[in-house]
mmCIF file of all heavy atoms in Angstrom:
data_model
loop_
_atom_site.group_PDB
_atom_site.id
_atom_site.type_symbol
_atom_site.label_atom_id
_atom_site.label_comp_id
_atom_site.label_asym_id
_atom_site.label_seq_id
_atom_site.Cartn_x
_atom_site.Cartn_y
_atom_site.Cartn_z
ATOM 1 N N ALA W 1 18.444 -22.422 15.836
ATOM 2 C CA ALA W 1 17.092 -21.900 16.289
ATOM 3 C C ALA W 1 16.126 -22.014 15.210
ATOM 4 O O ALA W 1 16.438 -21.703 14.001
ATOM 5 C CB ALA W 1 17.265 -20.450 16.897
ATOM 6 N N LYS W 2 14.954 -22.168 15.580
ATOM 7 C CA LYS W 2 13.708 -21.937 14.527
ATOM 8 C C LYS W 2 13.515 -20.605 14.060
ATOM 9 O O LYS W 2 13.819 -19.732 14.953
ATOM 10 C CB LYS W 2 12.516 -22.677 15.122
ATOM 11 C CG LYS W 2 12.562 -24.083 15.402
ATOM 12 C CD LYS W 2 11.254 -24.646 15.867
ATOM 13 C CE LYS W 2 11.309 -26.246 16.137
ATOM 14 N NZ LYS W 2 10.070 -26.697 16.682
ATOM 15 N N ARG W 3 12.976 -20.404 12.952
ATOM 16 C CA ARG W 3 12.597 -19.100 12.534
ATOM 17 C C ARG W 3 11.436 -18.553 13.474
ATOM 18 O O ARG W 3 10.623 -19.404 13.926
ATOM 19 C CB ARG W 3 12.225 -19.099 11.106
ATOM 20 C CG ARG W 3 13.335 -19.191 10.109
ATOM 21 C CD ARG W 3 12.829 -18.779 8.781
ATOM 22 N NE ARG W 3 13.951 -18.680 7.705
ATOM 23 C CZ ARG W 3 14.210 -19.698 6.924
ATOM 24 N NH1 ARG W 3 13.397 -20.734 6.789
ATOM 25 N NH2 ARG W 3 15.155 -19.622 6.051
ATOM 26 N N PRO W 4 11.337 -17.192 13.634
ATOM 27 C CA PRO W 4 10.160 -16.706 14.390
ATOM 28 C C PRO W 4 8.893 -16.961 13.684
ATOM 29 O O PRO W 4 8.830 -17.243 12.493
ATOM 30 C CB PRO W 4 10.400 -15.136 14.325
ATOM 31 C CG PRO W 4 11.906 -15.052 14.023
ATOM 32 C CD PRO W 4 12.335 -16.194 13.193
ATOM 33 N N ILE W 5 7.835 -16.910 14.375
ATOM 34 C CA ILE W 5 6.520 -17.204 13.780
ATOM 35 C C ILE W 5 5.911 -15.962 13.326
ATOM 36 O O ILE W 5 5.681 -14.977 13.968
ATOM 37 C CB ILE W 5 5.490 -17.820 14.906
ATOM 38 C CG1 ILE W 5 6.119 -19.069 15.480
ATOM 39 C CG2 ILE W 5 4.118 -17.967 14.429
ATOM 40 C CD1 ILE W 5 5.351 -19.694 16.624
ATOM 41 N N TYR W 6 5.522 -16.079 11.970
ATOM 42 C CA TYR W 6 4.927 -14.961 11.266
ATOM 43 C C TYR W 6 3.475 -15.141 10.944
ATOM 44 O O TYR W 6 2.730 -14.341 10.408
ATOM 45 C CB TYR W 6 5.658 -14.510 9.934
ATOM 46 C CG TYR W 6 7.086 -13.979 10.217
ATOM 47 C CD1 TYR W 6 8.142 -14.868 10.252
ATOM 48 C CD2 TYR W 6 7.230 -12.711 10.510
ATOM 49 C CE1 TYR W 6 9.470 -14.296 10.362
ATOM 50 C CE2 TYR W 6 8.452 -12.084 10.705
ATOM 51 C CZ TYR W 6 9.583 -12.998 10.603
ATOM 52 O OH TYR W 6 10.808 -12.499 10.924
ATOM 53 N N SER W 7 2.948 -16.401 11.164
ATOM 54 C CA SER W 7 1.644 -16.730 10.708
ATOM 55 C C SER W 7 0.563 -15.979 11.239
ATOM 56 O O SER W 7 0.580 -15.735 12.502
ATOM 57 C CB SER W 7 1.405 -18.197 10.962
ATOM 58 O OG SER W 7 2.415 -19.069 10.276
ATOM 59 N N ARG W 8 -0.431 -15.689 10.476
ATOM 60 C CA ARG W 8 -1.592 -15.096 11.021
ATOM 61 C C ARG W 8 -2.778 -15.977 10.670
ATOM 62 O O ARG W 8 -3.931 -15.880 11.141
ATOM 63 C CB ARG W 8 -1.859 -13.697 10.444
ATOM 64 C CG ARG W 8 -0.761 -12.788 11.013
ATOM 65 C CD ARG W 8 -0.842 -12.577 12.467
ATOM 66 N NE ARG W 8 0.195 -11.610 12.882
ATOM 67 C CZ ARG W 8 1.351 -11.939 13.311
ATOM 68 N NH1 ARG W 8 1.808 -13.257 13.273
ATOM 69 N NH2 ARG W 8 2.301 -11.121 13.744
ATOM 70 N N VAL W 9 -2.650 -16.767 9.479
ATOM 71 C CA VAL W 9 -3.791 -17.715 8.988
ATOM 72 C C VAL W 9 -3.097 -18.970 8.736
ATOM 73 O O VAL W 9 -1.878 -19.096 8.929
ATOM 74 C CB VAL W 9 -4.411 -17.085 7.822
ATOM 75 C CG1 VAL W 9 -5.188 -15.847 8.045
ATOM 76 C CG2 VAL W 9 -3.419 -16.828 6.673
ATOM 77 N N GLY W 10 -3.775 -20.100 8.291
ATOM 78 C CA GLY W 10 -3.232 -21.254 7.933
ATOM 79 C C GLY W 10 -2.260 -21.194 6.948
ATOM 80 O O GLY W 10 -2.441 -20.356 5.959
ATOM 81 N N PRO W 11 -1.147 -22.113 6.912
ATOM 82 C CA PRO W 11 -0.216 -22.024 5.856
ATOM 83 C C PRO W 11 -0.755 -22.391 4.541
ATOM 84 O O PRO W 11 -1.753 -23.192 4.442
ATOM 85 C CB PRO W 11 0.664 -23.250 6.321
ATOM 86 C CG PRO W 11 0.510 -23.339 7.710
ATOM 87 C CD PRO W 11 -1.030 -22.931 8.050
ATOM 88 N N GLY W 12 -0.251 -21.617 3.498
ATOM 89 C CA GLY W 12 -0.743 -21.928 2.191
ATOM 90 C C GLY W 12 -1.865 -21.052 1.754
ATOM 91 O O GLY W 12 -2.334 -21.068 0.688
ATOM 92 N N GLN W 13 -2.271 -20.243 2.664
ATOM 93 C CA GLN W 13 -3.482 -19.260 2.268
ATOM 94 C C GLN W 13 -3.007 -17.936 1.836
ATOM 95 O O GLN W 13 -2.069 -17.483 2.532
ATOM 96 C CB GLN W 13 -4.508 -19.277 3.461
ATOM 97 C CG GLN W 13 -5.134 -20.573 3.956
ATOM 98 C CD GLN W 13 -6.056 -20.360 4.935
ATOM 99 O OE1 GLN W 13 -6.750 -19.266 5.147
ATOM 100 N NE2 GLN W 13 -6.461 -21.394 5.638
ATOM 101 N N ALA W 14 -3.679 -17.322 1.030
ATOM 102 C CA ALA W 14 -3.354 -15.940 0.583
ATOM 103 C C ALA W 14 -3.890 -14.967 1.604
ATOM 104 O O ALA W 14 -5.052 -15.056 2.130
ATOM 105 C CB ALA W 14 -3.996 -15.612 -0.805
ATOM 106 N N ILE W 15 -3.025 -14.024 1.930
ATOM 107 C CA ILE W 15 -3.319 -12.920 2.971
ATOM 108 C C ILE W 15 -3.654 -11.599 2.236
ATOM 109 O O ILE W 15 -2.922 -11.231 1.484
ATOM 110 C CB ILE W 15 -2.088 -12.712 3.933
ATOM 111 C CG1 ILE W 15 -1.705 -14.117 4.570
ATOM 112 C CG2 ILE W 15 -2.443 -11.690 5.001
ATOM 113 C CD1 ILE W 15 -0.471 -13.932 5.349
ATOM 114 N N ALA W 16 -4.935 -11.186 2.484
ATOM 115 C CA ALA W 16 -5.409 -10.094 1.786
ATOM 116 C C ALA W 16 -4.560 -8.711 2.201
ATOM 117 O O ALA W 16 -4.102 -8.651 3.286
ATOM 118 C CB ALA W 16 -6.900 -9.862 2.198
ATOM 119 N N THR W 17 -4.413 -7.975 1.237
ATOM 120 C CA THR W 17 -3.792 -6.568 1.597
ATOM 121 C C THR W 17 -4.449 -5.833 2.527
ATOM 122 O O THR W 17 -5.645 -5.526 2.433
ATOM 123 C CB THR W 17 -3.787 -5.795 0.282
ATOM 124 O OG1 THR W 17 -3.097 -6.603 -0.758
ATOM 125 C CG2 THR W 17 -2.784 -4.554 0.482
ATOM 126 N N PRO W 18 -3.932 -5.482 3.718
ATOM 127 C CA PRO W 18 -4.547 -4.820 4.850
ATOM 128 C C PRO W 18 -4.681 -3.378 4.704
ATOM 129 O O PRO W 18 -4.473 -2.621 5.707
ATOM 130 C CB PRO W 18 -3.598 -5.204 6.004
ATOM 131 C CG PRO W 18 -2.191 -5.183 5.402
ATOM 132 C CD PRO W 18 -2.459 -5.688 3.862
ATOM 133 N N ARG W 19 -5.216 -2.911 3.648
ATOM 134 C CA ARG W 19 -5.579 -1.525 3.459
ATOM 135 C C ARG W 19 -6.376 -1.276 2.246
ATOM 136 O O ARG W 19 -6.565 -2.198 1.355
ATOM 137 C CB ARG W 19 -4.240 -0.749 3.335
ATOM 138 C CG ARG W 19 -3.672 -0.678 1.851
ATOM 139 C CD ARG W 19 -2.286 -0.214 1.890
ATOM 140 N NE ARG W 19 -1.269 -1.122 1.891
ATOM 141 C CZ ARG W 19 -1.055 -2.345 2.159
ATOM 142 N NH1 ARG W 19 -1.848 -2.951 2.800
ATOM 143 N NH2 ARG W 19 0.016 -3.053 2.161
ATOM 144 N N ARG W 20 -6.988 -0.098 2.016
ATOM 145 C CA ARG W 20 -7.695 0.199 0.829
ATOM 146 C C ARG W 20 -6.830 0.967 -0.174
ATOM 147 O O ARG W 20 -6.794 2.190 -0.047
ATOM 148 C CB ARG W 20 -8.974 1.003 1.252
ATOM 149 C CG ARG W 20 -10.011 0.147 1.971
ATOM 150 C CD ARG W 20 -10.571 -0.920 1.157
ATOM 151 N NE ARG W 20 -11.141 -0.465 -0.160
ATOM 152 C CZ ARG W 20 -12.382 -0.100 -0.143
ATOM 153 N NH1 ARG W 20 -13.252 -0.075 0.835
ATOM 154 N NH2 ARG W 20 -12.853 0.466 -1.320
ATOM 155 N N TYR W 21 -6.244 0.185 -1.035
ATOM 156 C CA TYR W 21 -5.350 0.841 -2.028
ATOM 157 C C TYR W 21 -6.109 1.917 -2.926
ATOM 158 O O TYR W 21 -5.663 2.999 -3.249
ATOM 159 C CB TYR W 21 -4.823 -0.200 -2.887
ATOM 160 C CG TYR W 21 -4.002 0.359 -4.124
ATOM 161 C CD1 TYR W 21 -2.685 0.789 -4.023
ATOM 162 C CD2 TYR W 21 -4.608 0.420 -5.428
ATOM 163 C CE1 TYR W 21 -2.061 1.306 -5.075
ATOM 164 C CE2 TYR W 21 -3.854 0.788 -6.479
ATOM 165 C CZ TYR W 21 -2.687 1.313 -6.302
ATOM 166 O OH TYR W 21 -1.884 1.751 -7.371
ATOM 167 N N ASP W 22 -7.412 1.542 -3.216
ATOM 168 C CA ASP W 22 -8.213 2.425 -4.108
ATOM 169 C C ASP W 22 -8.407 3.709 -3.317
ATOM 170 O O ASP W 22 -8.420 4.769 -4.042
ATOM 171 C CB ASP W 22 -9.542 1.797 -4.508
ATOM 172 C CG ASP W 22 -10.320 1.365 -3.291
ATOM 173 O OD1 ASP W 22 -9.702 1.144 -2.102
ATOM 174 O OD2 ASP W 22 -11.558 1.170 -3.461
ATOM 175 N N LYS W 23 -8.617 3.733 -2.005
ATOM 176 C CA LYS W 23 -8.867 4.918 -1.326
ATOM 177 C C LYS W 23 -7.616 5.746 -1.315
ATOM 178 O O LYS W 23 -7.645 7.055 -1.400
ATOM 179 C CB LYS W 23 -9.358 4.655 0.077
ATOM 180 C CG LYS W 23 -10.741 3.968 0.172
ATOM 181 C CD LYS W 23 -11.802 4.887 -0.287
ATOM 182 C CE LYS W 23 -13.089 4.204 -0.176
ATOM 183 N NZ LYS W 23 -14.281 5.158 -0.504
ATOM 184 N N LEU W 24 -6.448 5.144 -1.022
ATOM 185 C CA LEU W 24 -5.232 5.928 -0.979
ATOM 186 C C LEU W 24 -4.936 6.491 -2.275
ATOM 187 O O LEU W 24 -4.463 7.670 -2.410
ATOM 188 C CB LEU W 24 -4.045 4.900 -0.626
ATOM 189 C CG LEU W 24 -4.073 4.369 0.817
ATOM 190 C CD1 LEU W 24 -2.986 3.480 1.087
ATOM 191 C CD2 LEU W 24 -3.945 5.486 1.798
ATOM 192 N N ALA W 25 -5.190 5.804 -3.413
ATOM 193 C CA ALA W 25 -4.916 6.205 -4.751
ATOM 194 C C ALA W 25 -5.795 7.423 -5.119
ATOM 195 O O ALA W 25 -5.278 8.339 -5.771
ATOM 196 C CB ALA W 25 -4.949 5.072 -5.744
ATOM 197 N N LYS W 26 -7.056 7.257 -4.747
ATOM 198 C CA LYS W 26 -8.074 8.298 -5.123
ATOM 199 C C LYS W 26 -7.809 9.613 -4.367
ATOM 200 O O LYS W 26 -7.714 10.739 -4.930
ATOM 201 C CB LYS W 26 -9.520 7.767 -4.866
ATOM 202 C CG LYS W 26 -10.675 8.802 -5.408
ATOM 203 C CD LYS W 26 -11.978 8.153 -5.262
ATOM 204 C CE LYS W 26 -12.986 9.203 -5.583
ATOM 205 N NZ LYS W 26 -14.399 8.574 -5.376
ATOM 206 N N GLU W 27 -7.870 9.493 -3.047
ATOM 207 C CA GLU W 27 -7.811 10.678 -2.189
ATOM 208 C C GLU W 27 -6.309 11.162 -2.075
ATOM 209 O O GLU W 27 -6.248 12.527 -2.186
ATOM 210 C CB GLU W 27 -8.193 10.388 -0.767
ATOM 211 C CG GLU W 27 -9.603 9.924 -0.604
ATOM 212 C CD GLU W 27 -10.540 11.123 -0.742
ATOM 213 O OE1 GLU W 27 -10.175 12.364 -0.465
ATOM 214 O OE2 GLU W 27 -11.722 11.010 -1.129
ATOM 215 N N GLY W 28 -5.361 10.437 -2.259
ATOM 216 C CA GLY W 28 -3.927 10.971 -2.022
ATOM 217 C C GLY W 28 -3.319 11.220 -3.391
ATOM 218 O O GLY W 28 -2.351 12.086 -3.387
ATOM 219 N N TYR W 29 -3.617 10.587 -4.457
ATOM 220 C CA TYR W 29 -2.911 10.853 -5.806
ATOM 221 C C TYR W 29 -3.817 11.540 -6.719
ATOM 222 O O TYR W 29 -3.423 12.421 -7.373
ATOM 223 C CB TYR W 29 -2.473 9.484 -6.311
ATOM 224 C CG TYR W 29 -1.640 9.583 -7.529
ATOM 225 C CD1 TYR W 29 -0.316 10.048 -7.456
ATOM 226 C CD2 TYR W 29 -2.146 9.417 -8.800
ATOM 227 C CE1 TYR W 29 0.554 10.146 -8.614
ATOM 228 C CE2 TYR W 29 -1.256 9.481 -9.913
ATOM 229 C CZ TYR W 29 -0.017 9.918 -9.802
ATOM 230 O OH TYR W 29 0.697 10.050 -11.015
ATOM 231 N N LEU W 30 -5.060 10.926 -6.877
ATOM 232 C CA LEU W 30 -5.856 11.520 -7.987
ATOM 233 C C LEU W 30 -6.529 12.878 -7.592
ATOM 234 O O LEU W 30 -6.821 13.700 -8.561
ATOM 235 C CB LEU W 30 -7.003 10.510 -8.345
ATOM 236 C CG LEU W 30 -6.638 9.203 -8.828
ATOM 237 C CD1 LEU W 30 -7.882 8.265 -9.073
ATOM 238 C CD2 LEU W 30 -5.769 9.331 -10.117
ATOM 239 N N GLN W 31 -6.629 13.145 -6.390
ATOM 240 C CA GLN W 31 -7.434 14.336 -5.861
ATOM 241 C C GLN W 31 -6.471 15.238 -5.049
ATOM 242 O O GLN W 31 -7.026 16.335 -4.661
ATOM 243 C CB GLN W 31 -8.686 13.959 -5.119
ATOM 244 C CG GLN W 31 -9.681 13.166 -5.964
ATOM 245 C CD GLN W 31 -10.929 12.929 -5.220
ATOM 246 O OE1 GLN W 31 -11.101 13.305 -4.019
ATOM 247 N NE2 GLN W 31 -11.865 12.275 -5.794
ATOM 248 N N ASN W 32 -5.302 14.895 -4.881
ATOM 249 C CA ASN W 32 -4.416 15.896 -4.061
ATOM 250 C C ASN W 32 -3.175 16.380 -4.980
ATOM 251 O O ASN W 32 -2.358 15.500 -5.195
ATOM 252 C CB ASN W 32 -3.984 15.256 -2.778
ATOM 253 C CG ASN W 32 -3.270 16.195 -1.797
ATOM 254 O OD1 ASN W 32 -2.118 16.414 -1.904
ATOM 255 N ND2 ASN W 32 -3.955 16.763 -0.922
ATOM 256 N N VAL W 33 -3.116 17.543 -5.185
ATOM 257 C CA VAL W 33 -2.147 18.016 -6.144
ATOM 258 C C VAL W 33 -0.692 18.017 -5.508
ATOM 259 O O VAL W 33 0.189 17.714 -6.177
ATOM 260 C CB VAL W 33 -2.458 19.578 -6.456
ATOM 261 C CG1 VAL W 33 -2.341 20.492 -5.302
ATOM 262 C CG2 VAL W 33 -1.438 20.002 -7.555
ATOM 263 N N ILE W 34 -0.648 18.111 -4.142
ATOM 264 C CA ILE W 34 0.753 18.099 -3.470
ATOM 265 C C ILE W 34 1.277 16.609 -3.590
ATOM 266 O O ILE W 34 2.397 16.423 -3.947
ATOM 267 C CB ILE W 34 0.558 18.544 -2.030
ATOM 268 C CG1 ILE W 34 0.115 19.934 -1.999
ATOM 269 C CG2 ILE W 34 1.922 18.446 -1.340
ATOM 270 C CD1 ILE W 34 0.973 20.912 -2.657
ATOM 271 N N ALA W 35 0.394 15.642 -3.218
ATOM 272 C CA ALA W 35 0.903 14.248 -3.296
ATOM 273 C C ALA W 35 1.151 13.847 -4.701
ATOM 274 O O ALA W 35 2.167 13.145 -4.954
ATOM 275 C CB ALA W 35 -0.207 13.292 -2.671
ATOM 276 N N TYR W 36 0.233 14.283 -5.614
ATOM 277 C CA TYR W 36 0.447 13.953 -6.993
ATOM 278 C C TYR W 36 1.820 14.503 -7.425
ATOM 279 O O TYR W 36 2.675 13.838 -8.132
ATOM 280 C CB TYR W 36 -0.652 14.626 -7.878
ATOM 281 C CG TYR W 36 -0.454 14.534 -9.385
ATOM 282 C CD1 TYR W 36 -0.764 13.296 -10.022
ATOM 283 C CD2 TYR W 36 0.156 15.531 -10.053
ATOM 284 C CE1 TYR W 36 -0.605 13.190 -11.328
ATOM 285 C CE2 TYR W 36 0.338 15.424 -11.479
ATOM 286 C CZ TYR W 36 -0.149 14.230 -12.034
ATOM 287 O OH TYR W 36 0.069 14.032 -13.387
ATOM 288 N N ARG W 37 2.134 15.810 -7.170
ATOM 289 C CA ARG W 37 3.475 16.342 -7.592
ATOM 290 C C ARG W 37 4.584 15.662 -6.974
ATOM 291 O O ARG W 37 5.564 15.354 -7.597
ATOM 292 C CB ARG W 37 3.281 17.909 -7.221
ATOM 293 C CG ARG W 37 4.671 18.606 -7.341
ATOM 294 C CD ARG W 37 5.176 18.584 -8.795
ATOM 295 N NE ARG W 37 6.340 19.403 -8.996
ATOM 296 C CZ ARG W 37 7.214 19.243 -10.086
ATOM 297 N NH1 ARG W 37 6.948 18.389 -11.055
ATOM 298 N NH2 ARG W 37 8.235 20.039 -10.175
ATOM 299 N N ALA W 38 4.405 15.382 -5.595
ATOM 300 C CA ALA W 38 5.607 14.822 -4.984
ATOM 301 C C ALA W 38 5.978 13.362 -5.466
ATOM 302 O O ALA W 38 7.069 13.092 -5.649
ATOM 303 C CB ALA W 38 5.327 14.725 -3.470
ATOM 304 N N ILE W 39 4.896 12.666 -5.691
ATOM 305 C CA ILE W 39 5.058 11.196 -6.226
ATOM 306 C C ILE W 39 5.752 11.252 -7.589
ATOM 307 O O ILE W 39 6.709 10.576 -7.897
ATOM 308 C CB ILE W 39 3.804 10.405 -6.161
ATOM 309 C CG1 ILE W 39 3.346 10.200 -4.644
ATOM 310 C CG2 ILE W 39 3.895 9.087 -6.886
ATOM 311 C CD1 ILE W 39 2.021 9.608 -4.559
ATOM 312 N N ASN W 40 5.134 12.106 -8.412
ATOM 313 C CA ASN W 40 5.642 12.201 -9.833
ATOM 314 C C ASN W 40 7.038 12.740 -9.841
ATOM 315 O O ASN W 40 7.847 12.257 -10.709
ATOM 316 C CB ASN W 40 4.729 13.052 -10.726
ATOM 317 C CG ASN W 40 3.658 12.243 -11.200
ATOM 318 O OD1 ASN W 40 3.607 11.600 -12.238
ATOM 319 N ND2 ASN W 40 2.410 12.259 -10.465
ATOM 320 N N LEU W 41 7.473 13.706 -9.017
ATOM 321 C CA LEU W 41 8.686 14.257 -8.911
ATOM 322 C C LEU W 41 9.671 13.307 -8.661
ATOM 323 O O LEU W 41 10.762 13.123 -9.276
ATOM 324 C CB LEU W 41 8.817 15.353 -7.936
ATOM 325 C CG LEU W 41 10.091 16.291 -7.788
ATOM 326 C CD1 LEU W 41 10.209 17.054 -9.109
ATOM 327 C CD2 LEU W 41 9.848 17.251 -6.671
ATOM 328 N N VAL W 42 9.510 12.404 -7.530
ATOM 329 C CA VAL W 42 10.409 11.450 -7.259
ATOM 330 C C VAL W 42 10.564 10.257 -8.263
ATOM 331 O O VAL W 42 11.562 9.765 -8.677
ATOM 332 C CB VAL W 42 10.090 10.870 -5.790
ATOM 333 C CG1 VAL W 42 10.883 9.616 -5.356
ATOM 334 C CG2 VAL W 42 10.111 11.940 -4.814
ATOM 335 N N ALA W 43 9.309 9.845 -8.730
ATOM 336 C CA ALA W 43 9.305 8.675 -9.695
ATOM 337 C C ALA W 43 9.985 9.076 -10.930
ATOM 338 O O ALA W 43 10.747 8.262 -11.520
ATOM 339 C CB ALA W 43 7.878 8.318 -9.870
ATOM 340 N N LYS W 44 9.784 10.291 -11.450
ATOM 341 C CA LYS W 44 10.498 10.620 -12.809
ATOM 342 C C LYS W 44 11.905 10.849 -12.580
ATOM 343 O O LYS W 44 12.698 10.462 -13.414
ATOM 344 C CB LYS W 44 9.804 11.912 -13.199
ATOM 345 C CG LYS W 44 8.385 11.804 -13.725
ATOM 346 C CD LYS W 44 7.751 13.094 -14.298
ATOM 347 C CE LYS W 44 6.440 12.910 -14.954
ATOM 348 N NZ LYS W 44 5.866 14.199 -15.395
#
């Protein structure tokens, strides 16, 4: 069987990241002490 179709744009094109990483990092990590602590606790 052929592989399922995953395409959303033409083949060979770069697909942009579908979210605002800078917003997640700023609001969720840089400005929220609970998320900051939880992420660092697990990562360390």
Side-chain angles (χ1 to χ4, degrees):
K2 293 182 179 179
R3 285 196 174 103
I5 299 174
Y6 292 95
S7 303
R8 296 295 180 271
V9 295
Q13 298 185 23
I15 305 173
T17 306
R19 81 194 102 334
R20 288 297 303 272
Y21 170 81
D22 56 338
K23 294 293 185 181
L24 292 174
K26 182 178 180 181
E27 293 289 331
Y29 184 78
L30 299 180
Q31 297 184 1
N32 188 275
V33 65
I34 301 299
Y36 173 86
R37 171 61 176 162
I39 292 172
N40 276 275
L41 186 65
V42 174
K44 288 182 178 179

